[in-house]
Amino acid sequence: MYLLPVAALAMASCSNSDDPIAEVNVPKLATADQLMIRPAMAGASTRATEYSTAADIQSFKLIATGNFMDDDGTGNKPGTTTYDMSSGIEITGDATGSVWSFPIGHEYVWWGDATTKATFTAYAPADATVGSEVEIPAEMASQKDYIVAYNEGLKNDFKTGVPLNFQHATSQIVVKAVNKTTSAVTIKVKGTRMVNVVSKGTLSLPTVATNGSFSWDNTDYTPWALGNATDTYADTYDNAVLLEESNPQVIGQSQYLLPQQLTAATYTSDGEENWETNVTGNAIAFLIQVKTVADTPAAIYPAQQNNESTKYAWAYVPVDTDWQPGRKYTYTINFAKDAYGKVDPNQVGGTDNPTDDDNPSTVDPKPGEDVVDNPLQLTFTVSVEDWIPMAEPKNL
């Protein structure tokens, strides 16, 4: 999705300071030699928050190679030495995303009509770490929606400015849920977990143009080299969500995670039930409470003495999606009577034990087993926006 072109980035400054402090400078008309940048967002409709428009970017790091000089703002072109932007400079925008500025005291111009193409690489956040391993934090408020851009060409190719079309380098994950049989059971959710997700990777910058027909499907550019570390991304909350039948409800915050191929979770019991071990592989876990619909509701999961209303337990469904950069994946879990998933062996944050130890006549489910006997298949759909819409049922 392209936005309207934004105004010229290169601006004159009233300051002679060489200190690269990011400020919005007073704009002036561009000259034929002036270097201008026109940032825009691609695939904006795939993001609910973070970088959805150029105004959201606020600042980004620009790395440029070519024949440029630093103008002193008076129209003079001091010296004949080209200016080095290969280590990156920070570009800042105003609140509207329509005015962009070089560091205060600097204005850059093309030096001659060189026959060697200039290159322009950009990324945000401007303080992102490139070329060394970074970690996606478990705290969702601290997760970053990394974006990257690249273009190249001669001075005459960019008479109206260098277009930098930013692409999202992470995958956005959203989890929703419905209860297909509200007439039989009530299901409440107090949290979700993305289990065993690769949490560390090294970000590289593109060397192919991210404008026009760019697609993650047909480019040789891979933004992340994945590490070996994994983490479980949990989102729990105080007020439970009561699932409805025809209105999928969000049961977790949007997360920005590393693109990766997931492997459906499996669990092999070691004969011990310590309720603090993870499955092997990937799963979406949910902190739920299931009861029958009746004048006197009966607890189904977790088992509860006197049908207490305060207990919740974790269950899970395996997932094996191939997360791609620049895409939003929305999982909709289709709960129903007898379709609740498998007992999660990791009950940290749930009950100490999701079974009813005070009722020896009860045959309690074990970790990795179905929550109920003779279960229905718990299915989910995953939709991908907005390049390849699809709905893919998955069985438990």
Side-chain angles (χ1 to χ4, degrees), residues 15 22 30 32 40 55 74-75 102 119 123 178 206 262 279 342 359 368 379 383 390:
S15 170
T74 65
F102 282 109
T119 64
Y123 61 91
V178 294
L262 304 184
V279 295
K342 296 182 178 294
N359 186 352
T379 64
S383 63
M390 68 177 184

Side-chain angles (χ1 to χ4, degrees), residues 167-220:
Q167 304 284 344
H168 300 279
T170 53
S171 302
Q172 185 185 16
I173 311 301
V174 178
V175 182
K176 297 182 178 181
V178 294
N179 174 6
K180 295 292 188 178
T181 50
T182 55
S183 60
V185 292
T186 60
I187 302 174
K188 295 180 179 180
V189 185
K190 290 192 71 174
T192 61
R193 285 197 302 232
M194 301 301 301
V195 180
N196 295 336
V197 174
V198 176
S199 59
K200 293 184 179 182
T202 300
L203 177 65
S204 63
L205 298 178
T207 56
V208 294
T210 55
N211 302 300
S213 60
F214 175 88
S215 168
W216 291 108
D217 287 332
N218 59 22
T219 179
D220 293 330

Side-chain angles (χ1 to χ4, degrees), residues 43-80:
S45 65
T46 68
R47 301 295 182 180
T49 58
E50 297 297 331
Y51 299 125
S52 295
T53 69
D56 295 330
I57 300 176
Q58 296 183 344
S59 68
F60 61 88
K61 186 67 70 71
L62 174 69
I63 300 170
T65 62
N67 294 321
F68 311 108
M69 290 193 311
D70 189 356
D71 198 322
D72 63 4
T74 65
N76 298 320
K77 300 174 183 178
T80 59

Side-chain angles (χ1 to χ4, degrees), residues 306-320:
N306 302 317
N307 294 319
E308 297 171 84
S309 61
T310 57
K311 288 186 177 182
Y312 287 76
W314 290 97
Y316 73 90
V317 60
V319 291
D320 60 358

Side-chain angles (χ1 to χ4, degrees), residues 289-307:
Q289 179 189 94
V290 184
K291 291 186 176 183
T292 60
V293 174
D295 293 336
T296 305
I300 297 176
Y301 187 76
Q304 303 182 44
Q305 282 292 304
N306 302 317
N307 294 319

Side-chain angles (χ1 to χ4, degrees), residues 338 341-343 364-376 396:
D338 296 333
K342 296 182 178 294
V343 178
D364 295 328
K366 301 295 189 295
E369 294 182 347
D370 296 311
V371 167
V372 296
D373 291 331
N374 302 315
L376 294 178
L396 179 65

Side-chain angles (χ1 to χ4, degrees), residues 111-182:
W111 177 245
D113 298 320
T115 57
T116 302
K117 289 183 178 181
T119 64
F120 303 88
T121 310
Y123 61 91
D127 62 352
T129 301
V130 176
S132 59
E133 192 173 65
V134 298
E135 181 173 11
I136 304 298
E139 299 77 19
M140 295 174 199
S142 300
Q143 292 175 0
K144 297 178 180 180
D145 182 15
Y146 293 90
I147 56 176
V148 295
Y150 179 87
N151 210 346
E152 63 181 33
L154 302 173
K155 169 184 165 182
N156 288 336
D157 297 327
F158 303 124
K159 292 181 179 179
T160 59
V162 180
L164 285 178
N165 200 27
F166 283 90
Q167 304 284 344
H168 300 279
T170 53
S171 302
Q172 185 185 16
I173 311 301
V174 178
V175 182
K176 297 182 178 181
V178 294
N179 174 6
K180 295 292 188 178
T181 50
T182 55

